[in-house]
Amino acid sequence: MNDLAKNLIVWLVLAAVLFSVFSSFSTQQPDDNLGYSDFVVDVQNERVKKVIIEGLIIEGEQRDGTKFRTVLPTIGDEGLMDDLLNYNVEIVAREPQSPSLISQLLVAAFPILLILGIFMFFMRQMQGGGGGKGGPMSFGKSKAKLLTGDQVSTTFADVAGVDEAKEDVSELVEFLSDPSKFQRLGGRIPKGILMVGPPGTGKTLLAKAIAGEAKVPFFSISGSDFVEMFVGVGASRVRDMFEQAKRQAPCIIFIDEIDAVGRHRGGGYGGGNDEREQTLNQLLVEMDGFEGTEGVIVIAATNRPDVLDKALLRPGRFDREVSVGLPDIRGREQILKVHARKVPLDETVELQVLARGTPGFSGADLANLVNEAALFAARGNRRMVAMEEFEKARDKIMMGAERRSLVMSDKEKTNTAYHEAGHAIIGKLVPEHDPVHKVTIIPRGRALGVTQYLPEEDRYSLSRRQIFGQLCSLFGGRIAEELIGGFEGVTTGAQNDIERATQMARNMVTKWGLTQKMGPVLYGEDESQAPGGGNTFYSEDTSREIDQEVRLILDAAYEQAKALLEAHHDVLESMKDALMEYETIDADQVDDLMKRIPVRPPKSWDNDANDASGGDEGSVRGSSASPIGEAVEGV
């Protein structure tokens, strides 16, 4: 019997009790229609023919046929019977009606029943019953959300771009559908599957697809839902969740962000007896406490597998680790097809081109791309989503939203144009650099201007030559400002460029082994220490040498970029003029400028962006973030 039926029965019983009690109290008689003194006068005047006496109530009929009713005073009237007999009044006596035993019991027990009812109501509310979302007494209950097999509509057809991961988990569907197929040969299905990958790659979606394909119940909970400030609550919730799962077997338990509860034990400030570690201990016990034949499979997801406790990862608990990484170009195309099913696409849309132009995008990023494109089309009252809207959506995601309400002076706008032109020119001149995709001086996000690079293919590693080329292009904006206004004219707009270049050069020395002097040695820091800085594992002399190597790399990149930009000073001026005229130029226009030929007009969808008035620049320089696999430079 579910909670709804139990609550309905309780309220029906309570309503019946209240109705019976109030019915017993509602036996009041109507008001008297004849005063007692008038009744006595009528009797003495021989106007009363018949009376019916029932307790203190006297009803009767006068000789003219009129009915009446009166009440005998409680002090009594000893001469009334003599008067009735003397004046020939017909007398009828009835036995007074007494309340039934049940009514008497209900009346007597009503206060007690009322108190018990109120007490039960508040207890159910505190325990999370009565349709509530929980209360003080429900701390130990699991917060896992249960979806039955009919409620899970996600299938493998809704998951794209992770073909290898789908192959790893496809046998789980067969086991949940027909366990005997594996048990005949003595096989044991993994008790736990750990899905590892960056955020937004579809780990939760893949777990739902397993349940949807197998048509089994699906328990979903986050790791943070186990831990509370009260010791023992998390362990109680773990026990309750597994008890519910065993009753629903075969089923799937999905724990998202398991690193919130599954971190290494003994490494925190709370010692070895805090609430989180007790919860983890109970989780380890529960995962050892059921057999694979019970049909309960635990699937967990995290993007930080390095912090998980080793006991959690051993065989018998999480037997298999499934990597759900960022999709490649083919996977991105498949994901775009899935998300574009419900979107009316114009014939100009080429999903393969979009996939090639979105390196480093996760499945969530691609879903957001399709949604933003649909929103752009809706704002323009379009009936279908065209390639133009996808271009705008991609620019918004990669470079930030346009800030056309900001106003810059002509001097600030010109300096921004020089800065972005410097980035673009160096990016075109250094070897093995990602192609320039778009340059704009329209403020986007936190940046006044953006130079966007777009790789031609997915890249998973970088050579020293490619990194050095990126360092040169990062310094291109600052060098352009220095060439035009001298050292005193350099602005703070290169702050983010310098920060990124310094970090990249330091990684070359300390992590990637890309310098001959320091060699292939890891000069790392202890990242497990308290916030405020890790402890280094090298001496002060080594630290000084690292700083010197970083400075040599940055100086070399700066000098090379400066020499290239000085040799193409005329191109710098021409690109500045084009940016001042169009505000945004694309790869084809950049190629024209590098070849020193007249710049072709911008594309049609760029014209819409350039029709706005000049009041759309900002006054604060910044930088926009970029997804993995692409480079975006911002002033």
Side-chain angles (χ1 to χ4, degrees):
M1 185 180 297
N2 56 28
D3 291 339
L4 180 61
K6 292 179 180 178
N7 294 332
L8 184 61
I9 292 175
V10 170
W11 286 111
L12 286 177
V13 171
L14 184 59
V17 172
L18 293 176
F19 177 77
S20 301
V21 171
F22 286 119
S23 297
S24 64
F25 284 118
S26 62
T27 58
Q28 294 181 353
Q29 299 296 332
D31 294 338
D32 304 333
N33 57 11
L34 183 64
Y36 182 75
S37 59
D38 295 335
F39 166 69
V40 174
V41 172
D42 289 344
V43 172
Q44 294 175 353
N45 293 330
E46 298 185 358
R47 289 198 292 267
V48 177
K49 177 182 179 181
K50 177 182 179 181
V51 294
I52 301 174
I53 302 175
E54 183 177 354
L56 298 178
I57 305 300
I58 300 175
E59 296 180 352
E61 179 183 356
Q62 295 182 351
R63 297 189 184 279
D64 59 0
T66 303
K67 303 291 185 180
F68 67 90
R69 179 179 180 277
T70 188
V71 179
L72 184 67
T74 55
I75 61 176
D77 185 356
E78 298 179 357
L80 175 63
M81 295 303 297
D82 294 336
D83 290 341
L84 293 176
L85 294 174
N86 293 333
Y87 294 104
N88 300 319
V89 178
E90 181 181 354
I91 302 172
V92 178
R94 292 180 181 175
E95 181 182 0
Q97 294 183 358
S98 60
S100 64
L101 180 61
I102 295 178
S103 299
Q104 294 179 15
L105 290 176
L106 288 175
V107 171
F110 174 72
I112 300 176
L113 293 176
L114 182 61
I115 294 174
L116 288 176
I118 295 175
F119 178 75
M120 291 175 59
F121 173 78
F122 282 107
M123 285 298 296
R124 291 183 61 82
Q125 293 297 316
M126 293 175 66
Q127 294 175 0
K133 296 182 179 295
M137 303 299 292
S138 63
F139 279 152
K141 299 296 183 181
S142 171
K143 291 187 176 182
K145 298 178 181 178
L146 171 61
L147 297 177
T148 62
D150 297 334
Q151 293 175 315
V152 183
S153 58
T154 306
T155 63
F156 283 151
D158 301 315
V159 184
V162 286
D163 294 339
E164 293 81 4
K166 286 199 292 186
E167 291 178 3
D168 287 341
V169 300
S170 59
E171 64 183 27
L172 298 180
V173 178
E174 298 183 34
F175 171 78
L176 291 171
S177 303
D178 184 16
S180 60
K181 175 181 178 181
F182 297 88
Q183 296 167 0
R184 283 196 301 268
L185 300 177
R188 181 180 61 84
I189 204 70
K191 292 182 181 179
I193 304 294
L194 181 65
M195 295 188 178
V196 179
T201 51
K203 300 183 287 294
T204 304
L205 188 67
L206 186 58
K208 283 187 177 180
I210 298 173
E213 291 283 348
K215 299 297 182 184
V216 296
F218 180 82
F219 288 88
S220 176
I221 193 172
S222 173
S224 60
D225 289 334
F226 290 113
V227 183
E228 292 283 356
M229 64 180 294
F230 301 105
V231 177
V233 173
S236 176
R237 289 178 178 174
V238 171
R239 288 191 296 269
D240 184 66
M241 181 182 66
F242 277 90
E243 288 175 2
Q244 293 182 36
K246 291 175 183 178
R247 291 195 295 266
Q248 297 285 342
C251 67
I252 291 175
I253 297 176
F254 177 70
I255 306 175
D256 198 9
E257 304 296 344
I258 194 174
D259 52 277
V261 69
R263 288 174 176 266
H264 294 295
R265 288 171 290 180
Y269 293 104
N273 195 32
D274 59 0
E275 164 67 358
R276 182 185 60 78
E277 292 192 3
Q278 288 195 23
T279 305
L280 175 58
N281 292 337
Q282 186 63 41
L283 180 62
L284 297 176
V285 171
E286 290 292 340
M287 292 193 68
D288 260 350
F290 67 90
E291 298 296 332
T293 55
E294 294 184 11
V296 179
I297 297 178
V298 181
I299 301 178
T302 181
N303 50 24
R304 299 193 61 192
D306 54 302
V307 303
L308 295 181
D309 194 275
K310 293 182 180 180
L312 195 64
L313 303 178
R314 74 159 176 81
R317 291 189 176 116
F318 285 106
D319 307 271
R320 183 177 301 178
E321 182 176 309
V322 177
S323 178
V324 186
L326 294 171
D328 55 13
I329 182 172
R330 186 173 61 88
R332 292 195 296 273
E333 183 180 359
Q334 294 174 353
I335 294 173
L336 286 171
K337 289 180 179 178
V338 170
H339 293 297
R341 290 174 182 172
K342 299 181 180 179
V343 178
L345 299 181
D346 187 77
E347 59 182 8
T348 60
V349 177
E350 298 182 33
L351 297 181
Q352 185 177 6
V353 175
L354 287 174
R356 188 168 63 248
T358 52
F361 274 44
S362 65
D365 294 327
L366 295 172
N368 187 36
L369 173 67
V370 176
N371 182 64
E372 288 288 346
L375 294 178
F376 273 119
R379 292 172 195 161
N381 296 321
R382 303 286 183 88
R383 303 177 67 179
M384 305 187 76
V385 184
M387 195 68 176
E388 174 183 351
E389 282 74 38
F390 280 101
E391 286 281 341
K392 291 181 180 179
R394 185 179 63 181
D395 290 347
K396 180 180 180 180
I397 294 173
M398 298 174 71
M399 299 188 295
E402 294 183 359
R403 297 186 298 166
R404 291 189 170 274
S405 60
L406 298 180
V407 179
M408 285 192 300
S409 64
D410 291 339
K411 180 179 179 181
E412 186 83 14
K413 188 175 180 181
T414 301
N415 193 72
T416 302
Y418 276 120
H419 187 107
E420 298 306 325
H423 284 310
I425 293 172
I426 299 301
K428 292 292 292 184
L429 294 176
V430 294
E432 299 187 25
H433 197 282
D434 294 329
V436 178
H437 176 69
K438 186 174 293 186
V439 186
T440 179
I441 59 173
I442 298 176
R444 286 181 174 271
R446 294 174 296 169
L448 293 182
V450 179
T451 300
Q452 180 185 359
Y453 305 105
L454 203 61
E456 294 179 335
E457 58 185 11
D458 292 340
R459 185 175 59 244
Y460 304 101
S461 62
L462 293 172
S463 66
R464 190 182 190 281
R465 186 182 298 107
Q466 290 172 324
I467 298 174
F468 192 79
Q470 291 188 16
L471 292 176
C472 293
S473 65
L474 285 170
F475 286 130
R478 176 186 169 91
I479 295 171
E481 294 181 12
E482 185 177 350
L483 290 179
I484 300 303
F487 185 76
E488 297 297 328
V490 176
T491 69
T492 59
Q495 174 186 349
N496 181 256
D497 301 329
I498 296 173
E499 181 181 346
R500 294 175 59 190
T502 304
Q503 185 60 48
M504 192 178 298
R506 184 166 292 275
N507 288 340
M508 291 176 65
V509 177
T510 61
K511 295 182 179 180
W512 301 333
L514 296 180
T515 59
Q516 294 182 351
K517 182 177 180 179
M518 304 306 296
V521 179
L522 175 64
Y523 302 94
E525 296 182 348
D526 186 2
E527 298 178 355
S528 66
Q529 298 297 320
N535 295 336
T536 58
F537 294 122
Y538 44 84
S539 65
E540 293 183 4
D541 293 338
T542 302
S543 178
R544 188 178 299 107
E545 291 179 356
I546 290 175
D547 292 339
Q548 292 174 354
E549 284 295 302
V550 171
R551 181 61 185 268
L552 288 175
I553 293 173
L554 295 177
D555 288 345
Y558 194 92
E559 293 301 325
Q560 179 171 334
K562 186 175 182 179
L564 291 173
L565 208 54
E566 287 176 341
H568 293 77
H569 195 282
D570 57 329
V571 178
L572 178 64
E573 293 290 344
S574 300
M575 191 171 297
K576 182 268 298 183
D577 294 338
L579 286 171
M580 292 296 291
E581 179 180 357
Y582 298 119
E583 293 185 338
T584 301
I585 57 176
D586 58 19
D588 294 334
Q589 293 171 298
V590 172
D591 290 338
D592 293 342
L593 291 166
M594 295 300 297
K595 296 176 183 177
R596 296 175 172 83
I597 61 177
V599 180
R600 70 189 75 180
K603 294 180 180 179
S604 59
W605 53 77
D606 289 333
N607 287 334
D608 298 335
N610 296 327
D611 286 342
S613 61
D616 36 74
E617 278 72 36
S619 58
V620 180
R621 297 183 185 275
S623 159
S624 60
S626 60
I628 299 175
E630 81 177 55
V632 177
E633 305 297 344
V635 179

